[in-house]
C-alpha cells in the first residue's frame, strides 16, 4: 500500500507539472493500490455503481468502428443537445473531458496574480489545487456549523481582494451538505465587482431537500455565474470523461482558450444516448441512491453514530476518533473509502454503493470500529 507521504509526494509531483491530472479520483485509486482482495468494493471516489445506462453502452459500442475519424461535424448537434437539456442556448455551453477540465478552465480564465480563488472549506480540492499550482492566492472560508457555505464571508473576501473567483460546491464534496437556495440567491445578488461565482453541481441530481436548487436560472439571467455539471455521477460515466459548464456567452468565450479540444466521439455518443433518457433515468437513479443512503443513515442512528445529513451519493460519518485508521485498515479488508479531509479529521467519507456493497461496508466498518 502506498503511504500517505507517498500519496502526498505523488500529488505534489502532479501539481508541479502544472495542470493536475483528473487528479483526485486518480489519487484515490493510487492510494489503495497493492495487495488487495479481488472483489474489492470501491466506495472511495463517489462513482455510481450502476454505471452507464444501457443505451449509452450500445451507442458507444456502435461508434467504436468509426472512431478512426474525428467526427467534428457532430459537435454542433452535441452542443445543441446539451443546451436543450438545460433549457439554454449552445453559446451558453462549454464541454470537456469531465467537469475537471472545465473547472480548470474557469480557474485559468477567472483568477490572476491579483484575483484570488475564494473557496468554502473543506470542499473538493481540484479547483483550489489547480489555483495553487498556478501560484494563485487561495482564500479558504470555513463552512458554517450546518456545513453550508458562509456566503456572507465569501462575498466579503471577494470584496476585500477587489474581485476573484468564488468556488461553491453544491451539494458539497466531502460533506454531502447543501447551501440553501436563498443563500445562493443572496450571493448572486451581492457579488462584488469583477467576481465570478463558480457553482459545482456535480452531485445536484442526488439531492432531495427542498432547499437545494440549481443555479442555472442565474445563468439564464446573464449573471456572473458559471455552473459546472458532469456525466460522472448520476449518469455513471466517470471513465468516459464528459462534463460541461454553463454561463453567459462572454464568460464561455473567456474559458474557451483553456480547454484541450472537443470530446471524443465515443463520449459524445454515450452522452447523447444518456440525455435522451435523462427525464426518467435521473429520478429513478436518485430514488435508488436515496433508498440505500437511508438504510445507511438508519443503521448509523441505531448505533448512535453521528453523520452529516447527506444530500449526495456519499456521506460523512463521525467515527469519534481520527478517521485515518479506517482509511488505512478498510482497503486490505476489501472496502476502499474516501481520503482524509482536514480539518474534519474524525469524519470518514463513504460513497453510497449498491445495497450489497453497503452491507459489506457495514460489516468491515463495524469490525474496525469495535477494534
Ligand atoms: C465536486 C466535484 N466536482 C468535480 C469532480 C470531477 O468530476 P469529473 O471530472 O469526473 O466530471 C468531482 C469528482 O469527484 C467532484 O467531486
Amino acid at each position: 500500500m502506498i503511504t500517505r507521504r507517498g500519496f502526498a509526494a505523488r500529488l505534489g509531483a502532479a501539481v508541479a507539472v502544472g495542470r493536475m491530472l483528473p487528479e483526485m479520483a486518480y489519487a484515490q485509486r493510487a492510494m489503495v493500490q497493492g495487495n488487495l482482495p479481488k472483489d474489492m468494493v470501491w466506495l472511495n471516489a463517489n462513482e455510481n455503481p450502476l454505471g452507464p445506462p444501457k443505451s449509452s453502452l450500445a451507442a458507444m459500442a456502435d461508434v467504436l468502428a468509426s472512431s478512426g475519424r474525428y467526427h467534428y461535424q457532430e459537435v454542433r448537434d452535441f452542443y445543441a443537445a446539451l443546451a436543450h437539456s438545460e433549457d439554454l442556448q449552445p453559446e451558453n455551453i462549454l464541454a470537456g473531458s469531465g467537469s475537471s477540465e472545465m473547472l480548470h478552465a474557469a480557474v485559468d480564465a477567472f483568477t490572476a496574480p491579483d484575483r484570488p480563488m475564494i473557496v468554502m472549506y473543506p470542499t473538493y480540492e481540484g479547483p483550489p489545487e489547480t489555483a495553487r499550482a498556478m501560484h494563485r492566492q487561495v482564500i479558504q472560508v470555513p463552512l458554517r456549523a450546518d456545513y453550508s457555505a458562509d456566503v456572507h464571508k465569501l462575498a466579503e473576501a471577494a470584496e476585500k481582494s477587489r474581485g476573484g473567483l468564488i468556488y461553491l460546491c453544491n451539494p458539497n464534496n466531502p460533506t454531502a451538505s447543501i447551501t440553501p437556495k436563498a443563500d445562493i440567491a443572496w450571493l448572486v445578488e451581492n457579488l462584488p465587482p469583477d467576481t465570478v461565482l463558480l457553482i459545482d453541481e456535480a452531485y445536484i441530481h442526488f439531492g432531495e431537500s427542498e432547499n437545494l436548487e440549481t443555479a442555472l436560472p442565474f445563468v439564464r439571467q446573464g449573471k456572473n455565474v458559471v455552473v459546472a455539471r458532469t456525466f460522472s455521477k448520476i449518469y455513471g460515466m466517470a471513465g468516459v470523461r464528459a462534463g460541461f459548464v454553463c454561463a453567459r456567452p462572454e464568460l464561455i468565450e473567456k474559458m474557451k482558450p483553456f480547454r484541450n479540444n472537443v470530446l471524443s466521439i465515443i463520449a459524445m455518443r454515450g452522452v447523447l444516448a444518456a440525455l435522451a433518457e435523462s427525464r426518467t433515468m435521473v429520478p429513478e437513479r436518485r430514488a435508488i441512491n436515496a433508498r440505500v443512503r437511508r438504510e445507511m443513515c438508519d443503521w448509523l442512528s441505531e448505533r448512535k453514530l453521528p453523520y452529516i445529513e447527506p444530500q449526495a451519493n456519499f456521506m460523512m460519518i463521525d467515527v469519534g476518533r481520527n478517521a485515518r485508521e479506517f482509511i488505512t485498515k478498510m482497503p486490505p479488508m476489501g472496502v476502499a473509502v474516501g481520503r482524509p479531509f482536514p480539518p474534519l479529521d474524525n469524519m470518514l467519507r463513504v460513497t453510497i454503493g449498491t445495497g450489497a456493497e453497503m452491507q459489506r461496508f457495514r460489516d468491515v466498518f463495524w469490525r474496525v470500529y469495535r477494534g
Side-chain angles (χ1 to χ4, degrees):
M1 175 160 355
I2 289 167
T3 61
R4 238 184 85 71
R5 189 172 296 169
F7 167 61
R10 269 173 193 237
L11 221 50
V15 171
V17 167
R19 291 165 75 91
M20 292 201 358
L21 304 164
E23 41 279 350
M24 294 308 158
Y26 164 81
Q28 284 279 213
R29 285 288 163 114
M31 206 174 168
V32 284
Q33 271 167 9
N35 216 359
L36 299 171
K38 283 213 169 50
D39 58 347
M40 189 81 179
V41 173
W42 294 99
L43 303 176
N44 60 334
N46 299 342
E47 295 153 341
N48 190 332
L50 301 177
K54 281 202 180 85
S55 60
S56 293
L57 290 177
M60 291 190 284
D62 276 355
V63 80
L64 278 178
S66 63
S67 59
R69 306 264 173 211
Y70 285 115
H71 294 265
Y72 284 147
Q73 77 283 2
E74 294 191 26
V75 172
R76 186 191 297 228
D77 286 349
F78 176 68
Y79 269 76
L82 275 180
H84 181 71
S85 74
E86 302 300 349
D87 202 12
L88 290 163
Q89 300 303 314
E91 52 273 23
N92 293 124
I93 304 286
L94 195 61
S97 174
S99 58
S100 296
E101 187 183 7
M102 308 325 298
L103 296 170
H104 284 176
V107 176
D108 276 320
F110 304 121
T111 67
D114 60 346
R115 286 164 60 90
M117 172 145 217
I118 302 153
V119 300
M120 56 207 283
Y121 182 71
T123 191
Y124 178 56
E125 311 95 319
E129 291 294 352
T130 304
R132 285 193 188 97
M134 294 164 61
H135 305 291
R136 303 290 188 248
Q137 187 193 359
V138 175
I139 300 171
Q140 295 175 330
V141 175
L143 299 178
R144 288 187 293 211
D146 63 355
Y147 300 100
S148 63
D150 193 330
V151 290
H152 296 96
K153 295 230 166 83
L154 289 169
E156 227 173 82
E159 178 91 54
K160 238 191 231 164
S161 41
R162 298 207 183 91
L165 177 64
I166 297 177
Y167 174 70
L168 196 156
C169 190
N170 197 31
N172 187 38
N173 181 8
T175 48
S177 51
I178 63 162
T179 298
K181 56 189 176 191
D183 285 344
I184 303 269
W186 182 90
L187 185 55
V188 174
E189 284 316 311
N190 291 279
L191 276 183
D194 294 322
T195 304
V196 172
L197 174 59
L198 170 60
I199 305 196
D200 186 341
E201 296 186 343
Y203 300 102
I204 196 148
H205 304 99
F206 294 104
E208 294 191 303
S209 164
E210 284 180 357
N211 258 326
L212 176 66
E213 208 167 80
T214 174
L216 284 174
F218 301 118
V219 171
R220 293 184 203 108
Q221 292 161 21
K223 305 285 188 192
N224 258 5
V225 171
V226 177
V227 173
R229 291 287 185 87
T230 181
F231 287 90
S232 299
K233 306 302 176 179
I234 196 103
Y235 291 96
M237 299 168 74
V240 174
R241 310 304 302 133
F244 60 106
V245 282
C246 312
R248 64 187 162 82
E250 296 81 357
L251 298 180
I252 292 289
E253 287 304 317
K254 286 193 174 147
M255 287 183 276
K256 258 186 193 168
F258 297 109
R259 69 166 168 173
N260 289 333
N261 208 327
V262 294
L263 271 69
S264 78
I265 185 63
I266 299 157
M268 287 199 292
R269 292 278 185 92
V271 162
L272 285 175
L275 281 179
E277 57 171 304
S278 66
R279 269 182 217 293
T280 49
M281 187 181 59
V282 168
E284 272 169 27
R285 288 184 165 206
R286 179 190 301 126
I288 291 169
N289 181 264
R291 183 174 43 74
V292 180
R293 191 173 67 193
R294 183 47 46 204
E295 281 167 14
M296 266 302 298
C297 293
D298 291 346
W299 185 85
L300 291 165
S301 298
E302 279 161 23
R303 281 154 191 78
K304 303 209 175 344
L305 279 165
Y307 57 86
I308 301 174
E309 194 57 44
Q311 293 288 331
N313 67 335
F314 56 94
M315 63 186 298
M316 277 293 239
I317 304 169
D318 184 345
V319 293
R321 56 192 193 248
N322 198 308
R324 202 163 293 163
E325 183 187 340
F326 293 80
I327 294 166
T328 53
K329 282 190 179 161
M330 291 182 70
M333 296 164 80
V335 179
V337 288
R339 55 191 177 272
F341 285 99
L344 302 178
D345 298 325
N346 287 6
M347 296 263 189
L348 178 69
R349 194 195 71 181
V350 58
T351 302
I352 306 298
T354 62
E357 286 173 337
M358 298 322 283
Q359 186 53 53
R360 180 96 173 272
F361 168 84
R362 290 191 283 268
D363 293 346
V364 170
F365 173 87
W366 197 239
R367 269 158 46 208
V368 176
Y369 186 77
R370 298 297 296 271

